Amino acid sequence: MRALFIAALLHAVTADFTMSVGFTDDMVLQMEPEMSSIYGDAPLSSSQIEVSVNDGKSVVETVAATVFADSTWKATLKPKPMGGSYLITATCKSGCTGLNSTTSVLNLQRVTFGNVYFCSGQSNMALSIHYTFEIPEKTTEVLSGKYSNIRTFMYGSMGGAMPSYTPRYTTQVGLTSWYNISYAATIPEPTIKGHVRMNPFHTFSATCLNFGFALTDLLEKEGKPVPPMGLIQSAIGGTRIEQWIDNSTFASCKNGTPAYSSNLYYGMVAPFINTTVKGFLWYQGENNCGEVMGNSMTKVGYGCYQVAIVD
């Protein structure tokens, strides 16, 4: 017990001043009418953090972040219109200097506001667009700038899980970058030891990207404004639905498999719980085949979990 207390105390005073995974240059934040948030870790629960938003001409908003007892922090921004290219700066005004933190200023460049979608599931969602029949056509279109409104963030990969059995609402685990797919498609793909290292466009989820392509095409066809679109992929092949729900939701249904419960929800969904999104895409089921399908009315099996994950 004493060891756990000491470990918690050390974490409280040695955490760096950071933004959580998912906050990088070129990202998309949810546009109006919703509010979006910036969040991360602070060295101390008494740290004072301020976030400013610059539209390229002047600072249009400054907000004081809330720092919680566990030394995580969160700043909620006012609703922003579609588009723009913003510089967002988080500054630790006090409670950082002289501790473990290596910086007191964090910047996000070329941030835009649009609609953000979270794409999750197993291999059905994780399959890269590189492996689809349409890849030659889509690569040509993307390189021409046709879908320059789409930006992507990939968390994990087909077999690259980042599980946790406790909620990980802020983390630096799996830190990667946002990409505008028009740029991502131009990144060279070297052959290393006989294997092609695909660029961030070719490795991204085919299902998630095709949703973005189809929605963009539909809006253009109807003559409606086409907003920037942020697609977040958090999907792992060969996984069960029990892994993608929290413990309380798991317990609400019968005939689940406890050994699999919640480890990907806590490790790969929880870091985005405070991210404002427009919607969710879910594509999973294969690894739950061959067992009791159940139904939601009797709260049994996959039928119950499928409804619970939506609720």
Side-chain angles (χ1 to χ4, degrees):
M1 194 68 166
R2 175 177 169 156
L4 288 174
F5 172 77
I6 292 173
L9 183 62
L10 286 173
H11 173 76
V13 299
T14 60
D16 208 348
F17 172 48
T18 61
M19 294 182 188
S20 190
V21 68
F23 292 96
T24 77
D25 295 343
D26 301 302
M27 74 176 300
V28 182
L29 288 172
Q30 182 59 42
M31 69 180 189
E32 61 185 6
E34 278 68 46
M35 297 183 290
S36 56
S37 297
I38 311 292
Y39 54 93
D41 288 296
L44 299 168
S45 60
S46 59
S47 299
Q48 295 183 340
I49 296 168
E50 183 179 271
V51 174
S52 65
V53 181
N54 190 312
D55 66 358
K57 298 177 181 178
S58 61
V59 174
V60 296
E61 182 179 7
T62 301
V63 58
T66 300
V67 184
F68 302 96
D70 62 355
S71 299
T72 60
W73 62 269
K74 179 179 178 180
T76 300
L77 307 178
K78 295 178 181 178
K80 297 288 185 297
M82 177 178 71
S85 182
Y86 294 84
L87 170 66
I88 296 180
T89 301
T91 304
C92 187
K93 308 291 283 189
S94 67
C96 289
T97 306
L99 297 172
N100 188 55
S101 188
T102 57
T103 183
S104 61
V105 178
L106 304 171
N107 288 314
L108 300 174
Q109 302 183 71
R110 301 178 299 278
V111 176
T112 193
F113 287 83
N115 286 328
V116 181
Y117 298 90
F118 189 81
C119 303
S120 190
Q122 62 174 109
S123 57
N124 317 72
M125 182 64 77
L127 180 72
S128 302
I129 195 168
H130 173 81
Y131 297 107
T132 63
F133 291 118
E134 65 190 346
I135 188 59
E137 172 191 352
K138 288 304 179 187
T139 299
T140 299
E141 291 178 337
V142 167
L143 288 172
S144 74
K146 178 173 173 57
Y147 297 108
S148 60
N149 63 306
I150 298 177
R151 303 184 188 188
T152 60
F153 182 85
M154 186 173 179
Y155 194 54
S157 59
M158 178 70 79
M162 289 170 282
S164 176
Y165 288 93
T166 57
R168 196 159 56 197
Y169 296 116
T170 61
T171 184
Q172 294 296 296
V173 175
L175 191 64
T176 183
S177 300
W178 279 85
Y179 291 95
N180 185 306
I181 61 171
S182 295
Y183 167 72
T186 69
I187 296 175
E189 298 182 311
T191 299
I192 300 174
K193 295 183 179 180
H195 298 281
V196 176
R197 180 171 292 177
M198 293 184 292
N199 63 40
F201 168 60
H202 283 160
T203 57
F204 203 77
S205 164
T207 299
C208 195
L209 275 173
N210 275 298
F211 165 79
F213 296 152
L215 184 54
T216 298
D217 291 343
L218 178 64
L219 292 172
E220 289 179 344
K221 181 179 179 180
E222 295 180 347
K224 296 179 180 178
V226 179
M229 192 179 303
L231 303 177
I232 300 172
Q233 174 187 338
S234 181
I236 304 297
T239 54
R240 299 168 61 93
I241 195 170
E242 293 98 321
Q243 295 176 263
W244 295 100
I245 55 181
D246 64 17
N247 282 332
S248 61
T249 304
F250 172 79
S252 70
C253 300
K254 294 175 284 188
N255 287 90
T257 307
Y260 294 100
S261 66
S262 308
N263 64 339
L264 294 180
Y265 177 85
Y266 289 138
M268 299 188 66
V269 178
F272 301 95
I273 288 293
N274 287 300
T275 298
T276 306
V277 300
K278 181 73 171 179
F280 302 87
L281 282 76
W282 172 253
Y283 195 0
Q284 184 276 339
E286 182 180 350
N287 271 61
N288 285 93
C289 290
E291 58 188 47
V292 177
M293 292 296 101
N295 64 71
S296 59
M297 293 188 67
T298 58
K299 295 188 177 299
V300 173
Y302 194 88
C304 177
Y305 286 125
Q306 185 75 329
V307 173
I309 203 171
V310 174
D311 292 343

